[in-house]
Amino acid sequence: MQQAVRVAVFGFGGLGKGMARLIPHRPDFKLVAVADSQGFAFNANGLSLNESYELSQPLHSDSDSIISLLKAHADEIDAVFMALPNLPVEFFADTVKRIVEETGFKGVFVDALKRTEAVERLFALHNELSEQGILYVTGAGATPGFLTTVAAVAAHSFVEVLDVNIHFGVGIANWEAYKATVREDFIHLEGFDAKRVACMSDEEIAEELSVRNGLLKLVDMEHADDVILELAGVCPRDRVRVGGLVDTRNAKKPVNTTVTVTGRTMSGAVGSHQFVVSDEATMVDNVCGPALGFMLRAIEMHQRGFYGLITSADIMPRFASRVPGEQAQPLQADMALSV
């Protein structure tokens, strides 16, 4: 790649703003566009943020901002990070379908989708994405994403994987900074579903959090790690468990984030690998950082003619931290990628 990857961020809530803060630390990338329900902003030379992490330039007010942005600037954007809310569950797939049908964008998409059903809806768009010349990587945040690929690699020590347990701890000082993420977590609580959560006001969410002392205990979540690991041939989806504890009042994680893979070796012994995530790495670090790594790998693949829909377990992220001014070295011929 001769120049920095020109990135657009769709959705400018907690994760979207987190990605915008991270990109200046990664010289392989340049933030050129942002779009959300309030409108869009584009600057080919790069967007900038003020001290409160808001855009330094006003948004172009537009009720159909994503489509309008790509219609106007598709050729000036290499890759998109999808940080859009996941309510209702079909929103992501419907949005991607409209992009394919109504804009001329032919680059890379990376998302941080969590729910299995939302990811499965994207699978139906594989042929359309491929025909359009788009490479879409789904489930490429933390979980699914970074932690899913950790499990996929750890699985190779075993001839049979018996259990994958991803248990996360998340700490946020103010839930309102991550409204979409917290609302999605509510869906997995007993007595709640997507329809009920979609109808709840912010005040009702805050009241429910108050009753729970700001803590959300999540068990056996519908998380796309299951379908991604199943498609990767690691294990059946019913052997994948995802849960965790979210503290919406404190930045400190309430528990460690771990990935535990239990399996049977060729000698018949049963053992477990466990990976522990640093408590100092925040949700933004663990979602947005890996997303950029998957994006960089996808850009390389896209340049080689790979199109369609793949998951994070199909590729490994490329570490993006080269010294400013240096050019990333291309892959060698004997390192050709396959999907």
Side-chain angles (χ1 to χ4, degrees), residues 142-162:
T143 171
F146 160 41
L147 302 182
T148 326
T149 55
V150 166
V153 172
H156 287 279
S157 295
F158 307 109
V159 296
E160 181 185 9
V161 172
L162 304 175

Side-chain angles (χ1 to χ4, degrees), residues 151-319:
V153 172
H156 287 279
S157 295
F158 307 109
V159 296
E160 181 185 9
V161 172
L162 304 175
D163 182 77
V164 175
N165 184 4
I166 298 174
H167 191 265
F168 56 82
V170 174
I172 54 178
N174 179 5
W175 82 271
E176 292 185 342
Y178 296 93
K179 287 183 180 180
T181 299
V182 172
R183 281 180 172 273
E184 191 169 345
D185 286 339
F186 260 77
I187 295 172
H188 303 284
L189 297 172
E190 186 176 355
F192 292 84
D193 57 27
K195 184 176 181 179
R196 178 181 175 185
V197 173
C199 295
M200 294 176 69
S201 66
D202 286 352
E203 291 73 20
E204 288 172 320
I205 294 286
E207 183 178 347
E208 186 66 34
L209 288 173
S210 180
V211 170
R212 299 167 182 268
N213 293 319
L215 295 174
L216 299 179
K217 185 177 181 180
L218 305 166
V219 180
D220 293 331
M221 302 174 72
E222 183 215 340
H223 244 238
D225 305 82
D226 58 3
V227 66
I228 289 174
L229 289 172
E230 183 175 76
L231 288 171
V234 173
C235 62
R237 68 177 70 185
D238 61 6
R239 297 184 184 182
V240 180
R241 296 175 293 136
V242 180
L245 187 62
V246 179
D247 189 339
T248 63
R249 295 180 175 179
N250 299 287
K252 184 178 179 180
K253 294 181 182 180
V255 294
N256 290 128
T257 294
T258 60
V259 180
T260 306
V261 178
T262 301
R264 183 176 292 108
T265 70
M266 63 179 178
S267 66
V270 173
S272 298
H273 290 319
Q274 186 172 77
F275 178 83
V276 181
V277 178
S278 168
D279 284 346
E280 284 66 41
T282 68
M283 179 172 64
V284 167
D285 294 324
N286 293 328
V287 173
C288 296
L292 287 180
F294 286 114
M295 183 183 289
L296 194 58
R297 180 61 74 190
I299 286 288
E300 293 175 341
M301 294 173 67
H302 186 264
Q303 291 174 345
R304 290 168 175 258
F306 289 86
Y307 309 132
L309 188 135
I310 59 177
T311 76
S312 53
D314 292 314
I315 57 175
M316 293 300 288
R318 181 175 178 85
F319 192 67

Side-chain angles (χ1 to χ4, degrees), residues 71-126:
K71 280 184 175 180
H73 301 288
D75 293 339
E76 300 170 273
I77 296 170
D78 301 311
V80 175
F81 175 59
M82 299 283 275
L84 297 169
N86 189 25
L87 289 172
V89 71
E90 65 272 12
F91 179 69
F92 252 74
D94 289 349
T95 300
V96 173
K97 185 174 179 63
R98 285 196 63 200
I99 289 171
V100 172
E101 294 176 346
E102 300 178 30
T103 78
F105 183 70
K106 298 181 182 294
V108 163
F109 280 102
V110 171
D111 72 38
L113 268 179
K114 294 191 289 186
R115 294 172 64 194
T116 301
E117 183 182 354
V119 167
E120 288 182 317
R121 285 175 179 269
L122 287 172
F123 293 157
L125 299 176
H126 171 76

